[in-house]
Amino acid sequence: MPETAETPPTARQWLGLVAVALGVALIVVDMTIVNVILAPIIEDLSIGSSEAQWIQESYAITFAALLLVTGRLSDLYGARRIFLLGLAVFGVTSLLAALAPGGGLLILARFVQGVGGAMMLPTSLALLNATFTGRARGQAFAVWGSTIGAAAAVGPLLGGWLADISWRWAFGINIPLVALIVVGVVLHLDASPRTPGRIDGVGAVLSAAGLGLLAFVLIEGRTYGWLLTTEPLEIGGFSWSGGLSPVFVALLMSVLALGVFWRRQTALSRAGDEPLMDVGLFSIRSFRNGNFVTLMVGLGEFGIIAVLPLWLQFALGYSAFEAGLALVALAAGSFVASGASFPMAATVPALAQVRIGLVLEAAGLTALALTASTDSSWWLIALALFVYGIGVGFATAQVTNIVLVDVPERSGGQASGIQSAARELGSALGIALLTTLFFSTLASGMTDRLTRDGVAADEADRLGSMVTDSAGSVIGTLAAEPRTAAAAEAAREAMAVGVQVSGYVCAGLLLLALAATLFMSPGTKGRSDPNRAERRPSSPPSPLRPRAPLRPRARARREQLGRRGRSPGTMMAPCP
């Protein structure tokens, strides 16, 4: 039977995409910008290292914890409504953070800001999944994915620039942007359909606890120790200073909570009740295997971004702004991929674009590892990051396209929440793995170099620990003193080796993700119709089954949708 012609998106839909992409950019930038502005925050608010650490990590922990819950809320109350509510929360907490008189209020604002971010990311996916179909759908996800890659790179640059003015502007700049995005979403995106149902309160608590604790483990493992406590954990007046690490205990609690959560969701699904997460989604091959690839891509993509600024600033002597400027090459590559994907969408399947992206990412990281040294050329670094950024633009966007292609629209929020959680946990795991590997390489490499040069073992260990504990920021001080100049040079060399090892490991992880794509299907017949799975009958249609009575209603529905400027494929399919 011939397929109906695809309805091209309207200018209104493209403007809606721009608004959603800007919202996603806010989420990602606020994950990376704080790393750059933390020093002036500490100085201005006179806070300690413990409070500074919670300012960094509180946002990411609550963000990861609530992705499944907000995905379900998106289905029940409509993706656009939850996205707008998330924007409101994000704007208010940005204002609180900008005006915070002390560390306590800033930490609280960051915690709640993570709630707003968690409401926006999965709903952004659900909005695009419902608004676009076919070729345009792949193009929309290309813009979405490129925005993530670009925002992750631009965050440090923006932070370095704003740090020279005031760290408060790093949060205050969000407020007018939030207002602009709200206007764009209201004017250019239709209200999302709502699915009757309720939320599983027990499941919500279990998922939030399990994912939040797991995020804490991945983020803080190197700080507090993976098994035994190496640094005291201080929260308010409470201090955990010995015995089993709080990270290890949190891991056990996370495994328990997520295990109970899965069993509960399975039982509710079998009983025909309303689970927070429909485990039946994992029976969809493109969704199941696509989420595994998403996890692997997150592992390989974002870990390197965590260590590159340290090497650029403390080993090569770049300022925070110059280091951020080097990472703009990554953002440029990501946007190039977005532009290239538009003409490719008609001829190159999404799965092929994912594979192209993963190959380019691995090539860029390998090139970065090969050129990393104590005097690496800026243009070689930028070229490697540009190639890497092109890969990010292809892989990040189109793997999302594949994950959601066969998911029925009534479950789009849940599916987007699961995919967002896989991406976030993969990123957190990649950052944990890469930072641990980088600092271990830095400490051992520096100690070995100093020992070979005749420095006593105790002194070499002390200097190595000093550089590692400061994340390399003390290298400039060591270089300024003739007595410790050799230690500074050893640290620079060890940092370069750390970048080399990190680059090769990330490239290897991305090649594993490439191998995993061999087990992926491009979606039903390779087509990007979000309602395809919902319309698929449970048994072959009988040629004798009368269908005429349905035609007038279908025709009227199509005409009604046409008057509203939307393709029939963008709406929820009627229940059989």
Side-chain angles (χ1 to χ4, degrees), residues 46-185:
S46 300
I47 60 176
S49 59
S50 177
E51 287 179 298
Q53 193 161 6
W54 281 107
I55 290 171
Q56 282 181 292
E57 314 301 358
S58 53
Y59 176 88
I61 291 173
T62 52
F63 179 83
L66 296 174
L67 287 170
L68 292 185
V69 177
T70 55
R72 175 61 174 160
L73 290 173
S74 172
D75 290 333
L76 294 179
Y77 298 103
R80 193 183 77 158
R81 178 174 298 187
I82 300 301
F83 187 83
L84 289 171
L85 183 58
L87 275 169
V89 172
F90 200 90
V92 170
T93 51
S94 294
L95 179 61
L96 287 176
L99 299 176
L105 184 58
L106 182 54
I107 292 170
L108 176 62
R110 289 284 288 170
F111 265 114
V112 185
Q113 193 177 46
V115 177
M119 299 173 79
M120 292 164 63
L121 186 62
T123 49
S124 72
L125 289 172
L127 284 168
L128 299 188
N129 197 40
T131 303
F132 296 91
T133 57
R135 175 184 175 183
R137 188 172 178 274
Q139 294 170 338
F141 277 115
V143 173
W144 181 90
S146 298
T147 299
I148 287 183
V154 168
L157 173 66
L158 184 62
W161 176 56
L162 292 174
D164 292 335
I165 304 172
S166 171
W167 64 266
R168 296 183 184 276
W169 277 107
F171 300 110
I173 198 173
N174 292 339
I175 300 165
L177 292 174
V178 164
L180 179 64
I181 295 166
V182 167
V183 172
V185 170

